[in-house]
Amino acid sequence: MTSSSYTPEVKGQGLRANVQRLGGYLAAMVMPNIGAFIAWGLITALFIPTGWIPNKTLAELVGPMISILLPVLIGYTGGRLVHGQRGAVVGAVATMGLVVGADVPMILGAMIIGPLTAYVLKLFDGLIENRIRPGFEMLVDNFSAGIIGAAMAIGGVYGIGPVVEWLTKQAGSGVDWLVGKDLLPLTSVLVEPAKVLFLNNAINHGVFGPLGIAEAADKGKSILFMIESNPGPGLGLLLAFMVFGPRALRPSAPAAIIVQFLGGIHEIYFPYVLMKPKLILAMIAGGAAGVGTFVITGAGLVATPSPGSIFAYLAVTPKGGHFGVILGVVIAAAVTFAVASALLGFGRGEPAADALGPDEETAVRPDEERAIDPDETLDKSAKQEV
């Protein structure tokens, strides 16, 4: 795939780097289409029978948009990442094979068949390059794209579609089991550590996003949109750093709060956790408290809040659901702040600004102010673990 502004280059090898690349690819397919997801979410929140201004005619937009438009856009974008405009066209055609007859939104399937179909066309174009008689290029290009797109669409109907539908239903059943057993907050034990390793895109767009869309299409809202994207834990951590963190880092926390909580860019707080890995306990506690609150209050969103800003949260909250959503964000922030503050010793162990100790080796000194480089922090954290 080609790189894009949504897929910053990931350096290195190994499992973490490969998963980060996968998350980047998924984000590169989803992020350009977030506007369409938000449009669907707003139409759903406004016009369904339980919406703000119910309208039977406009509510008919909801079904076709989630079952056809969004998967086709994902397949189109995925194909374009692999093989330009020709790849985009065949990716969209093949995606139609998935959505026909499917009972669940084929977002995940589109992420598979779109790039795959474009890759097949790319291989074919490579084989026939410089072997077409002059004057027949357009004929061959058009028919090759048509034949490959049609073949993959048929394969989607009978092969990939049923498999993806089965996997989606199994994953949905697993989530339903966690919800039924009141165990959904335990997902934070896995989600929060993965997030600070910059796997947030892979988790949100690859796992919870597709499942949440399927649930929202059925129930009108989904709690799965809020498991990874809750801005509360990040806010609580940065507040703890602002009050009790290393003195050299405290001035940077307010700006980070604005970027994270209002702007929805969660990546900015990941280096703070990686500097002091024990703080992951605070993130898990805050994340679980937030999810638990969402479960108890029956909160949910109608679409993916992307980016995970408080403004995006409020925009895709269904009618009558703001109390549970805001309460979950506030409790997550409060719990994270309390636990992180305790783990930071409430600042009692911090030396004076002019007497930084060994624990501040990773800190940014006031006379060396510069942007925090997540890669540099990751490397340093890895060395410390070794």
Side-chain angles (χ1 to χ4, degrees), residues 214-279:
E215 187 175 52
D218 182 41
K219 301 178 181 177
K221 63 182 180 180
S222 175
I223 190 176
L224 301 179
F225 292 131
M226 301 188 290
I227 293 178
E228 186 276 337
S229 61
N230 187 349
L235 173 64
L237 176 88
L238 293 171
L239 286 173
F241 258 90
M242 185 175 71
V243 180
F244 301 119
R247 293 182 185 278
L249 282 179
R250 292 179 188 178
S252 67
I257 289 173
I258 294 174
V259 173
Q260 187 268 338
F261 192 67
L262 303 182
I265 310 301
H266 292 203
E267 283 85 348
I268 196 167
Y269 78 76
F270 298 165
Y272 288 83
V273 181
L274 293 169
M275 290 176 196
K276 293 182 178 292
K278 62 184 178 183
L279 292 177

Side-chain angles (χ1 to χ4, degrees), residues 55-147:
N55 185 304
K56 185 177 180 181
T57 300
L58 295 178
E60 292 180 356
L61 287 167
V62 174
M65 286 182 72
I66 187 60
S67 62
I68 299 176
L69 174 65
L70 296 181
V72 170
L73 283 175
I74 296 292
Y76 179 93
T77 308
R80 186 166 189 168
L81 286 170
V82 174
H83 195 39
Q85 185 60 28
R86 280 169 56 73
V89 171
V90 296
V93 172
T95 303
M96 283 303 298
L98 293 179
V99 304
V100 173
D103 294 330
V104 297
M106 279 291 170
I107 305 295
L108 182 60
M111 292 180 179
I112 298 172
I113 201 168
L116 177 62
T117 306
Y119 183 68
V120 173
L121 181 62
K122 185 177 182 179
L123 290 178
F124 177 82
D125 286 350
L127 289 174
I128 66 171
E129 188 176 9
N130 300 324
R131 296 182 181 180
I132 306 300
R133 292 181 180 275
F136 289 87
E137 293 91 342
M138 183 176 293
L139 180 68
V140 174
D141 285 350
N142 288 341
F143 271 84
S144 61
I147 292 171

Side-chain angles (χ1 to χ4, degrees), residues 6 21 39 106 113 135 139 211 220 297 313 326 359:
Y6 302 100
R21 286 192 185 89
M106 279 291 170
I113 201 168
L139 180 68
L211 293 176
T297 59
Y313 257 60
I326 295 174
D359 199 31

